[in-house]
Amino acid sequence: MTIRNLDHLFDPRSVAVIGASARPASVGGTVWRNVRTGFPGPVWAVNPKHGTLDGQACHAQVGTLPAAPDLAVICTPPATVAGIVAELGARGTRAAVVLTAGLDAAMKQAMLAAARPHLLRIL
C-alpha cells in the first residue's frame, strides 16, 4: 500500500462536511459543529436542504463549493455515498472519511470503484 494522498487525510488544508445539518443529535450536525469550531482552515457545509448553517453558506452539492476540499467528511445515507465519492474525486478531493452506517458489500464496492480512478483515499 502506498502513502499517496495520506497527507490530505491527516493534515488537510480545507474540509467539507457532506450532509452537514442543523439537527443537534445528528451525525452531520455533530461533525459540522466540531469541524467548524475546531479546524483552522476553510470549512464548507454541503446539504441541498439548507441555504445557511450557523450563519455560514451551505452548498447544495460538491460542484458548487468554491474549491476542492482536501478532505471530505461524508455523513449521508448509504445509497448516496458512491455518487458523492465520484463527485468529490472528479472535483479534485484526495481524501474522504465516510461516517455512514449500513453500507452493504455492493455499496462498499461501488464506493471504492468510484474512488479508484481519482486516487481518492477512503477512511
Side-chain angles (χ1 to χ4, degrees):
M1 177 181 283
T2 70
I3 61 168
R4 183 181 305 155
N5 294 327
L6 285 179
D7 53 332
H8 298 287
L9 181 65
F10 294 116
D11 191 23
R13 291 171 294 170
S14 58
V15 177
V17 179
I18 317 299
S21 174
R23 291 188 348 239
S26 69
V27 173
T30 301
V31 170
W32 170 245
R33 281 188 311 282
N34 289 340
V35 171
R36 190 177 67 80
T37 59
F39 184 75
V43 177
W44 300 300
V46 178
N47 189 326
K49 296 177 183 176
H50 300 287
T52 61
L53 279 174
D54 299 324
Q56 188 171 333
C58 185
H59 301 270
Q61 58 189 12
V62 171
T64 62
L65 291 172
D70 274 358
L71 174 66
V73 182
I74 302 172
C75 311
T76 61
T80 64
V81 172
I84 291 169
V85 167
E87 195 175 355
L88 287 164
R91 184 70 200 270
T93 300
R94 295 292 171 233
V97 175
V98 179
L99 298 176
T100 302
L103 284 174
D104 63 25
M107 290 176 184
K108 286 180 188 175
Q109 194 59 38
M111 174 186 67
L112 295 174
R116 189 170 295 114
H118 306 288
L119 303 176
L120 191 149
R121 288 286 185 157
I122 303 282
L123 175 66

